[in-house]
Amino acid sequence: MASAKKSAEGTDLVQQAEKYLKTSLLKWKPDYELAADSYNKAATCFKTAKELHKAKDCLYKASDCYKQTKAYFSAAKSLDQAILLLKELQDWKEISTIAHKACQLFQEHGSPDTAALLLDKSAKIIEPHLPEDALVLYKRAMEVVMVEDRPRQASEFASRAGRLLVRLGRYEDAINMLSKEMNYHIAGENPAAVGRVLVAVVMLHLAREDVIAAGKAIQEWGGNGQQEELQVAMNLHHAFDSEDAQAAERALADPFIRHMDVEYAKLTRSVPLPKGLSELENAARPKTNLESLVDDIPAIDDDDIENEYGGVARSYNANPEAESTEIKNDDDLEEGGLC
């Protein structure tokens, strides 16, 4: 009963707003302020009556009326309220569209901080459902705050965008986004925050199996951040550069990495371990199988044996008559003596 009463009240307010917008011979201009106020009140009534679609439409109309009077902040606030209704309606695509419109209105009013917060809030709402659209909102939020030269705020939005890109598996784009975040930290005189981001960048390079790029990232950004974080990044690079699988496993299991954001902690499962050590271990492992030892002995050909030893035997037996003659002459010398 109460819902029906509120719905009827909202309908009356809409009709009243439409009257304010009409013109006549004695009324040359619409009364946008009164119409906007009636639409806002009607939206509240429809929301109470759980008629969310009607409430949303009233807020849109109220925003349009405020724009006619150049009350951009009020127009943006009406759209901000509409986003909450769209969340209940689960109209994720419409949230992205309205967020961009509201952001533009806040900027025209001269409130970039409020515009960026609206974009951030809207991106968080649609991120599980439309991650690509959420990514666009985060990027625009970065641009909005950087117009006012606020790198610290921009670094927060870049961090959220970077984590989202990791979840999407777009590692190269994530590296570029995290590089922007490190630049924002340095510009915002917060170099201590660079080390944590650097570890994430190194892990992303290793996930792409690009050890050289990981080393270059350490050379470029290693002068910032804390020593502990830099050591973690260097341990990762050294283990993979030396193709030491066991050292790589220990580096990825470092408590610092395990306590990073969930996206980066899960990334350790996607980093392929180096295979160089396992192959060396197999080559260095002693063989205990007798057959394998026999296989290592080179085969000996019978012809080679005959060529090596048979030739000597034939040299002693090549002319048996000459041998007997020499023996006989020796015997004659022994019997006759020397003359």
Side-chain angles (χ1 to χ4, degrees):
M1 187 68 182
S3 298
K5 183 178 179 181
K6 282 293 181 182
S7 179
E9 183 179 350
T11 302
D12 292 338
L13 287 169
V14 169
Q15 293 175 354
Q16 185 176 358
E18 291 174 349
K19 290 180 181 179
Y20 288 135
L21 294 176
K22 290 180 179 180
T23 58
S24 62
L25 293 175
L26 300 178
K27 182 185 175 184
W28 294 356
K29 294 182 180 180
D31 196 339
Y32 290 111
E33 292 183 2
L34 293 177
D37 184 59
S38 296
Y39 278 129
N40 273 326
K41 291 179 181 179
T44 303
C45 292
F46 286 130
K47 183 179 178 181
T48 304
K50 302 299 181 182
E51 296 181 13
L52 301 183
H53 285 285
K54 291 183 179 181
K56 175 198 66 173
D57 292 337
C58 286
L59 289 172
Y60 288 169
K61 292 177 180 179
S63 178
D64 291 336
C65 291
Y66 283 128
K67 282 192 292 183
Q68 294 295 329
T69 60
K70 297 185 179 181
Y72 297 123
F73 187 85
S74 297
K77 289 298 293 182
S78 295
L79 295 181
D80 188 8
Q81 295 177 28
I83 289 175
L84 298 178
L85 295 178
L86 291 169
K87 179 182 177 182
E88 294 186 43
L89 293 170
Q90 298 184 356
D91 194 345
W92 316 119
K93 193 67 178 178
E94 185 71 9
I95 289 177
S96 176
T97 303
I98 296 302
H100 284 291
K101 291 181 178 180
C103 171
Q104 183 65 31
L105 291 169
F106 277 128
Q107 284 184 286
E108 290 182 13
H109 178 263
S111 303
D113 292 340
T114 310
L117 291 175
L118 172 71
L119 292 170
D120 183 46
K121 178 182 70 174
S122 303
K124 290 178 181 177
I125 293 174
I126 67 174
E127 186 174 321
H129 312 283
L130 296 175
E132 294 291 345
D133 290 359
L135 187 61
V136 174
L137 293 175
Y138 284 133
K139 290 180 178 179
R140 184 169 182 182
M142 291 165 50
E143 296 172 357
V144 168
V145 295
M146 284 307 296
V147 170
E148 300 294 322
D149 194 17
R150 298 184 180 180
R152 290 208 172 193
Q153 283 183 285
S155 66
E156 296 177 5
F157 302 136
S159 177
R160 295 190 182 99
R163 293 197 300 270
L164 179 55
L165 286 166
V166 172
R167 286 201 299 272
L168 294 174
R170 293 165 54 180
Y171 294 159
E172 185 174 357
D173 292 335
I175 291 170
N176 295 332
M177 183 60 66
L178 294 180
S179 297
K180 289 183 180 180
E181 181 184 353
M182 288 189 285
N183 280 324
Y184 291 146
H185 284 310
I186 294 173
E189 298 180 354
N190 187 26
V194 172
R196 174 186 57 81
V197 186
L198 176 60
V199 174
V201 170
V202 170
M203 290 176 59
L204 287 167
H205 280 304
L206 295 177
R208 299 177 65 241
E209 301 186 54
D210 194 344
V211 181
I212 296 176
K216 290 181 178 179
I218 294 175
Q219 292 178 358
E220 183 178 358
W221 305 102
N224 303 281
Q226 300 179 0
Q227 184 62 31
E228 177 187 359
E229 299 162 344
L230 178 60
Q231 190 61 47
V232 173
M234 293 179 65
N235 289 342
L236 280 169
H237 176 258
H238 177 72
F240 282 84
D241 187 44
S242 59
E243 296 188 353
D244 190 337
Q246 293 181 353
E249 287 181 353
R250 289 194 299 269
L252 290 171
D254 190 283
F256 179 83
I257 297 177
R258 292 165 57 188
H259 289 87
M260 291 178 67
D261 292 323
V262 178
E263 292 79 8
Y264 303 121
K266 290 182 178 180
L267 183 62
T268 57
R269 306 172 189 172
S270 303
V271 177
L273 294 176
K275 300 179 181 179
L277 181 62
S278 60
E279 295 175 358
L280 292 174
E281 286 179 339
N282 291 333
R285 184 175 57 193
K287 296 182 179 180
T288 57
N289 190 350
L290 182 59
E291 294 181 359
S292 63
L293 292 175
V294 173
D295 292 339
D296 291 338
I297 301 176
I300 301 176
D301 190 69
D302 293 339
D303 294 336
D304 295 337
I305 298 175
E306 184 177 354
N307 292 334
E308 184 174 356
Y309 298 101
V312 178
R314 284 194 299 270
S315 66
Y316 285 104
N317 298 319
N319 193 352
E321 294 180 358
E323 184 179 358
S324 61
T325 304
E326 291 178 0
I327 295 173
K328 184 177 180 181
N329 293 334
D330 292 341
D331 292 340
D332 291 342
L333 289 173
E334 290 177 358
E335 291 177 359
L338 297 174
C339 299

